[in-house]
Amino acid sequence: MTHADLRVVMIVANDVTNDSRVRKEAAALAETGAEVTVLGVSASGLPSREMLDGALIVRVAVPFSLREERKRSRKARRDWRPPFAGYRYQGTYVARDQRIDAGLQELKADSGHAIAAAKAGKGNPIKYKLGVGGRLLRRSRWQAARKATWVRKGVGNKVDVPFKFGWRAYDGVIHRMPWPAPWRKLHPEALDLELAFGDLIDRLEPDVVHAHDMHVIGVAARAAGRANLRGKDLKVVYDAHEYVAGLSQYGARTRRSIAAWANHEAEYINAVDRVVTVSPAIARTLTKDHHLDREPTVIMNTPNPADVSVEVSDIRSRIGLASQVPLLVYSGGVTRARGIHTAVRALVDLPDVHLAIVCVPGVATDAVKELQTQAADLGVEDRLHCLDPVEPEEVVAFLRTADVGLIPILRYPSHEMALPNKLFEYAFAGLPVVVSDMPSMKEFVDRTRIGEVFVAADAHDLASKVRMVLGDLDSYREKVADPGYQQEVSWAGQADKLRGLYGELVGRRLERVQPGDRVEKKQKRLLIGPVNSAGQAWLWATALEREVPGLVAESLTTGSGAFDFRVHRTGSYRQYRSDLRWQLELTAYVLREVTHVLLEAGRPMFGQQRGQMFNIDIPILEQAGIKHGLIFHGSEIRDPSLHRAKYQYSPFRDPDDELSQRLQSANDLLRTQLDDYEGPVYVTTPDLLEFVDNSIWLPLAVDVDEFASTQPVLDREVPVVLHAPSASALKGSAYVDPVLTDLDARGLIKYQRVQGLPHSELAEMVRSADIVVDQLLLGSYGVFACESMAAGRVTVGHVADPVRDLLPTGLPIVEANPDDLSEVIERLISERDPARKVADAAPEYVRELHDGRRSVEVLRPFITGER
């Protein structure tokens, strides 16, 4: 097994962006040349992919249907009331009252109209009196309805009290009970994650699945079980980020909820191959709790020293604080269990000190508002600064201008064993620390002397320890800067331990490789797609394989396949747009096997959501060391405004036409991305050289032998004229059809007009035609004209003089435009010998420029790197 043969799938129940541990571990393994894919949960609800430090990050849209169904059924049970005891929804009371008010208002209006009519002497008096009686009855009914609504509302409110009290009492008891705590019932999201990740893991066929945190340990273990059915030994690593049974309790994280997650962990932890955790205390406790055969490997969540050099604004600059003002900082999640309120209270005893809180996930949360309210009540709001977080790789550099880092976490079992990531971030930012007396942190700080320890939740003791550190700041900073300490907390050492663990799992030593050496692929392999327009990608790939030794070349199409062009790989439109499994299979294949990619028509290769273009794939390809280029076929890059300025018969002559506007908008958007692209750009027709700066003409390819015809040209008294546009509006069919229909009616030709035929059927029609009319508006020629010429047919079309001048030899296409098409066809019929000479010269022209050899010459430098 080579480095590149090792496939690792990491799974985590967040979107990876702010999970520094996941990202660092993925990068540490990718540095060995391993193929690392991280499956996370999309926070936006839309799937996405990106390359980070050599690992492919895939964010999956997880609907959490089972979790939402549990919420719905739970709410339905709590909303139930006996029949006729109030209304189910509070809004119903309001709606009923408003409906009665509307009915009474309508009744008043009817009375007014009736009285006005009676005074005017209109209408029948008897009918008026009957109307009065009817309205009195209606009034009584509405008044009765109001009374009934009032009674039902009162009864409902009375009934609500015991029901709500009962549910609160039930919840108060049940949530304090650690048993029974069935995780499948209480945390169905664990099964939602199975449904989202399980099939993806199976399709990616990894050697190792690395489950980050307790939410996904079951997903990984079950994937290993399914792999056994396929005869594959899938290794599982469980990464315990925290001591689950001792998690802090707040909000929905009750004792029972925590116990359910602990049960989930306990059910699967003995089925994994290795356990990794963040501190020695957690490692010892997990071994004891679960009777593990092997103590978990401790990989501390320390920062990467490289992060210190990131150029970002610092925290003092952000809050506008002078350098001589003492500044404390807390960076991380803001919850009650983190004890930040203790630090806010301590500001009362530290009148000259400011506190900055870098709030994860952001400032706009209830927990942060509570801190701000607390600060206002204590009169220290002017010295409390709440900031939105920076990017994970910017944290260390951002914190560097503070004076002291705080970790005031409260006493929970998981906290007592933790060595939080922020402890090490503070170290690389050069900050001494003041931490609460959790055993693991206390042991660490007492040993290294990088700060002081205070009694958890004691604001006065925290203030005392802060004054102690600020009073001898240089001494503490010297200990933080000690090279031995810096090496101990460096991520480099932790990454080596992780690679060592993986080496044991796979039975060989994993070494870091240089970035240029990571792609260790057995041979050059090219993929062209995802369009295969008119079968061109297949023809280019076939020609390249024939002419370039050692190259494997493939084409990909992701359309309907209605035209039946030959292609190596296919995907449906639905798969390309929304099937993440198909997209990941393709992505994994390309990253594993492919060395060169040519992206067609400005589209991405690995799947496309609305509005996405080729540029979303470029970072993935570049980090994988895959060489890339672009191929444009026509209307996707042919600027309508420029075309109508240059070409007399342009199909875009009307700028307000729907087609012109649509293509112009798409063209403008594509060009915004093309401006920054640095790879080679190829165009398939010579006219496009005018539309794409620094582009290279990649001649179209035709299988000349396939189109060779034995049918004589213009030998019939009434010749067959064929017109088969791929896009009628662009080809000028509105001008062609009337002319050829008229000539057919006059008996001069037999007109064949087809569209949308499978390619094999169209090829047969081309071979048996006498004259083929291509297009009259674009000013160039494309695949259909090449096929007609290869068949030795008389080919008619509009090819502008500037385009003809770009060609290396005379073009055997009879010139015609919307103004003279009828005249040209009649001349070809009457002067058949000159027409036959044009047809006879056409196959040789195609062999010279379009049989694939010229295309290979153009692409060879891209493949081989030679000029």
Side-chain angles (χ1 to χ4, degrees):
M1 179 187 290
T2 64
H3 287 187
D5 290 331
L6 177 60
R7 300 183 202 171
V8 178
V9 171
M10 291 187 168
I11 51 178
V12 64
N14 60 45
D15 79 342
V16 185
T17 303
N18 292 313
D19 198 322
S20 61
R21 183 175 180 84
V22 175
R23 294 176 57 171
K24 287 182 297 189
E25 289 187 350
L29 295 173
E31 286 175 346
T32 69
E35 179 187 307
V36 181
T37 303
V38 181
L39 302 180
V41 177
S42 170
S44 66
L46 297 174
S48 67
R49 293 181 298 276
E50 66 173 321
M51 290 294 291
L52 285 176
D53 301 319
L56 176 64
I57 311 298
V58 180
R59 297 179 179 89
V60 182
V62 183
F64 288 107
S65 303
L66 298 177
R67 183 187 66 187
E68 295 307 309
E69 176 56 30
R70 178 179 182 268
K71 288 181 180 178
R72 283 192 294 270
S73 61
R74 184 177 183 273
K75 185 177 186 301
R77 288 195 301 272
R78 281 159 169 72
D79 285 345
W80 183 87
R81 299 292 184 270
F84 307 111
Y87 298 105
R88 185 171 182 179
Y89 304 107
Q90 286 294 324
T92 306
Y93 295 125
V94 177
R96 294 274 180 171
D97 281 339
Q98 290 179 339
R99 178 68 185 91
I100 292 167
D101 287 343
L104 290 171
Q105 290 292 91
E106 184 179 10
L107 180 62
K108 288 181 180 179
D110 290 347
S111 298
H113 289 310
I115 291 171
K119 288 181 178 179
K122 299 178 182 179
N124 189 319
I126 297 175
K127 186 177 180 181
Y128 170 75
K129 291 181 179 180
L130 290 174
V132 170
R135 285 190 292 275
L136 288 173
L137 180 60
R138 284 167 60 192
R139 180 180 179 82
S140 298
R141 288 173 58 193
W142 284 123
Q143 289 174 336
R146 186 185 293 282
K147 183 68 174 178
T149 299
W150 178 80
V151 170
R152 189 168 181 179
K153 179 179 179 180
V155 171
N157 288 338
K158 293 288 186 183
V159 170
D160 264 354
V161 173
F163 269 87
K164 289 180 177 179
F165 175 80
W167 280 116
R168 279 196 300 269
Y170 172 82
D171 288 340
V173 172
I174 197 70
H175 287 311
R176 288 177 171 83
M177 296 173 59
W179 186 90
W183 67 263
R184 288 174 178 81
K185 177 181 178 182
L186 298 178
H187 295 306
E189 56 265 38
L191 298 176
D192 284 317
L193 293 168
E194 167 68 36
L195 296 173
F197 291 161
D199 192 39
L200 296 180
I201 297 171
D202 294 347
R203 292 201 181 198
L204 290 171
E205 297 186 342
D207 302 293
V208 184
V209 174
H210 190 127
H212 284 277
D213 236 335
M214 74 286 189
H215 311 90
V216 290
I217 184 175
V219 178
R222 289 186 290 269
R226 292 192 300 272
N228 289 335
L229 290 177
R230 303 192 301 270
K232 181 178 176 63
D233 181 19
L234 174 59
K235 303 296 185 182
V236 177
V237 175
Y238 171 50
D239 201 325
H241 292 195
E242 301 176 276
Y243 177 52
V244 178
L247 287 171
S248 55
Q249 299 176 30
Y250 58 88
R253 192 194 273 183
T254 63
R255 188 178 183 187
R256 188 169 186 241
S257 170
I258 293 168
W261 280 125
N263 290 338
H264 181 240
E265 178 186 66
E267 182 172 331
Y268 294 104
I269 194 168
N270 282 288
V272 307
D273 297 279
R274 292 288 191 279
V275 179
V276 173
T277 192
V278 295
S279 78
I282 296 179
R284 292 190 295 268
T285 305
L286 288 176
T287 304
K288 178 182 176 183
D289 287 355
H290 302 294
H291 308 290
L292 301 179
D293 296 333
R294 179 196 302 261
E295 185 170 296
T297 301
V298 176
I299 298 177
M300 296 187 297
N301 198 21
T302 59
N304 189 336
D307 293 346
V308 181
S309 62
V310 174
E311 294 185 4
V312 295
S313 65
D314 62 275
I315 194 166
R316 281 186 186 273
S317 299
R318 178 75 66 86
I319 63 179
L321 193 66
S323 59
Q324 69 273 16
V325 179
L327 176 61
L328 313 179
V329 66
Y330 168 84
S331 174
V334 178
T335 65
R336 189 74 180 174
R338 304 299 179 101
I340 312 167
H341 57 282
T342 306
V344 175
R345 283 204 307 271
L347 289 179
V348 176
D349 295 338
L350 299 166
D352 299 322
V353 176
H354 286 239
L355 170 62
I357 303 173
V358 182
C359 308
V360 176
V363 171
T365 66
D366 291 339
V368 174
K369 291 176 183 175
E370 288 178 12
L371 292 177
Q372 292 169 331
T373 301
Q374 178 193 10
D377 293 342
L378 295 172
V380 298
E381 69 272 20
D382 58 327
R383 293 186 285 124
L384 176 67
H385 310 276
C386 297
L387 307 173
D388 282 318
V390 295
E391 295 298 322
E393 66 274 11
E394 298 175 348
V395 171
V396 171
F398 183 67
L399 301 178
R400 67 187 185 274
T401 54
D403 293 309
V404 178
L406 300 181
I407 307 179
I409 55 178
L410 301 182
R411 198 171 302 282
Y412 289 94
S414 63
H415 289 175
E416 292 178 354
M417 302 179 194
L419 288 175
N421 181 46
K422 62 182 63 63
L423 180 65
F424 309 114
E425 289 175 338
Y426 295 155
F428 279 107
L431 307 184
V433 297
V434 173
V435 304
S436 60
D437 57 346
M438 301 300 105
S440 286
M441 278 200 305
K442 183 178 187 304
E443 176 187 350
F444 185 85
V445 173
D446 286 346
R447 177 174 60 82
T448 57
R449 305 304 304 159
I450 60 165
E452 294 296 333
V453 179
F454 73 96
V455 176
D458 188 334
H460 299 296
D461 194 32
L462 189 157
S464 173
K465 297 303 167 56
V466 166
R467 283 193 294 268
M468 187 181 300
V469 173
L470 291 176
D472 194 9
L473 198 54
D474 290 339
S475 176
Y476 285 102
R477 283 175 174 168
E478 185 178 333
K479 293 183 176 67
V480 172
D482 180 79
Y485 172 69
Q486 292 282 314
Q487 177 60 30
E488 178 181 354
V489 298
S490 168
W491 173 250
Q494 307 304 313
D496 285 340
K497 291 169 68 175
L498 178 67
R499 288 189 283 263
L501 178 146
Y502 267 77
E504 292 176 11
L505 276 179
V506 300
R508 64 181 177 83
R509 186 178 177 84
L510 296 185
E511 300 283 357
R512 295 178 65 190
V513 297
Q514 296 300 316
D517 299 331
R518 287 185 189 171
V519 181
E520 300 174 4
K521 295 169 183 174
K522 296 175 183 178
Q523 64 183 142
K524 285 186 171 65
R525 187 179 291 266
L526 167 69
L527 180 63
I528 308 174
V531 179
N532 191 37
S533 177
Q536 289 301 295
W538 189 90
L539 289 161
W540 289 321
T542 303
L544 283 163
E545 274 198 348
R546 185 173 61 243
E547 301 291 336
V548 180
L551 174 69
V552 176
E554 296 180 307
S555 54
L556 168 69
T557 185
T558 54
S560 64
F563 295 106
D564 198 27
F565 291 111
R566 287 171 290 186
V567 68
H568 298 89
R569 291 176 170 269
T570 62
S572 68
Y573 182 80
R574 183 193 65 80
Q575 287 174 319
Y576 181 63
R577 289 287 188 174
S578 60
D579 188 342
L580 185 58
R581 292 187 295 273
W582 179 89
Q583 295 168 6
L584 278 187
E585 281 185 323
L586 177 64
T587 306
Y589 163 74
V590 171
L591 297 181
R592 185 169 60 248
E593 302 289 345
V594 174
T595 58
H596 296 71
V597 165
L598 288 170
L599 299 108
E600 295 181 278
R603 298 185 189 178
M605 185 71 75
F606 304 130
Q608 183 182 38
Q609 296 178 41
R610 183 177 297 277
Q612 289 181 334
M613 288 177 285
F614 71 92
N615 59 301
I616 68 166
D617 284 350
I618 301 306
I620 297 175
L621 296 172
E622 289 189 341
Q623 286 213 28
I626 297 173
K627 192 172 181 180
H628 51 83
L630 306 179
I631 298 176
F632 293 108
H633 293 281
S635 58
E636 78 275 14
I637 199 63
R638 187 181 286 113
D639 186 335
S641 61
L642 181 59
H643 193 273
R644 66 172 164 266
K646 287 180 172 289
Y647 292 87
Q648 177 183 356
Y649 300 103
S650 172
F652 316 116
R653 280 181 292 179
D654 181 2
D656 297 324
D657 177 70
E658 186 275 333
L659 176 65
S660 298
Q661 290 187 340
R662 175 164 49 83
L663 291 179
Q664 187 71 61
S665 176
N667 201 274
D668 292 343
L669 187 60
L670 179 56
R671 287 178 183 279
T672 61
Q673 304 301 329
L674 188 59
D675 289 342
D676 297 326
Y677 183 69
E678 297 181 354
V681 179
Y682 303 96
V683 293
T684 61
T685 58
D687 64 304
L688 294 178
L689 295 169
E690 294 184 275
F691 295 90
V692 185
D693 293 339
N694 302 314
S695 57
I696 304 165
W697 181 30
L698 173 62
L700 298 164
V702 174
D703 187 337
V704 182
D705 294 333
E706 178 188 359
F707 279 87
S709 174
T710 58
Q711 173 71 41
V713 175
L714 294 174
D715 200 38
R716 290 172 284 215
E717 181 178 351
V718 179
V720 173
V721 180
L722 174 67
H723 179 54
S726 57
S728 299
L730 297 177
K731 301 290 187 175
S733 298
Y735 301 101
V736 176
D737 286 334
V739 169
L740 298 188
T741 300
D742 177 66
L743 293 175
D744 184 285
R746 290 162 55 192
L748 296 178
I749 66 169
K750 181 180 179 182
Y751 180 32
Q752 291 185 339
R753 170 66 153 86
V754 296
Q755 194 165 355
L757 285 181
H759 187 245
S760 58
E761 295 182 26
L762 180 60
E764 183 57 38
M765 295 189 71
V766 170
R767 286 191 292 265
S768 61
D770 293 293
I771 300 171
V772 174
V773 178
D774 180 27
Q775 57 76 37
L776 300 182
L777 305 180
L778 293 174
S780 189
Y781 70 100
V783 173
F784 187 54
C786 289
E787 292 173 341
S788 171
M789 289 188 287
R793 307 299 95 185
V794 179
T795 307
V796 177
H798 170 49
V799 183
D801 289 340
V803 176
R804 289 179 183 267
D805 292 341
L806 294 172
L807 302 174
T809 185
L811 175 65
I813 292 181
V814 177
E815 177 64 25
N817 60 55
D819 296 332
D820 63 8
L821 177 62
S822 179
E823 176 186 334
V824 168
I825 298 297
E826 291 190 48
R827 186 178 70 248
L828 292 174
I829 296 171
S830 61
E831 300 176 10
R832 299 196 177 195
D833 287 340
R836 291 191 186 101
K837 289 181 180 180
V838 174
D840 291 343
E844 186 58 33
Y845 176 86
V846 175
R847 287 188 185 277
E848 178 66 23
L849 285 181
H850 297 291
D851 69 350
R853 289 175 297 165
R854 288 288 185 99
S855 306
V856 171
E857 290 177 15
V858 171
L859 291 175
R860 190 186 296 272
F862 171 72
I863 301 297
T864 65
E866 301 172 358
R867 291 290 176 185

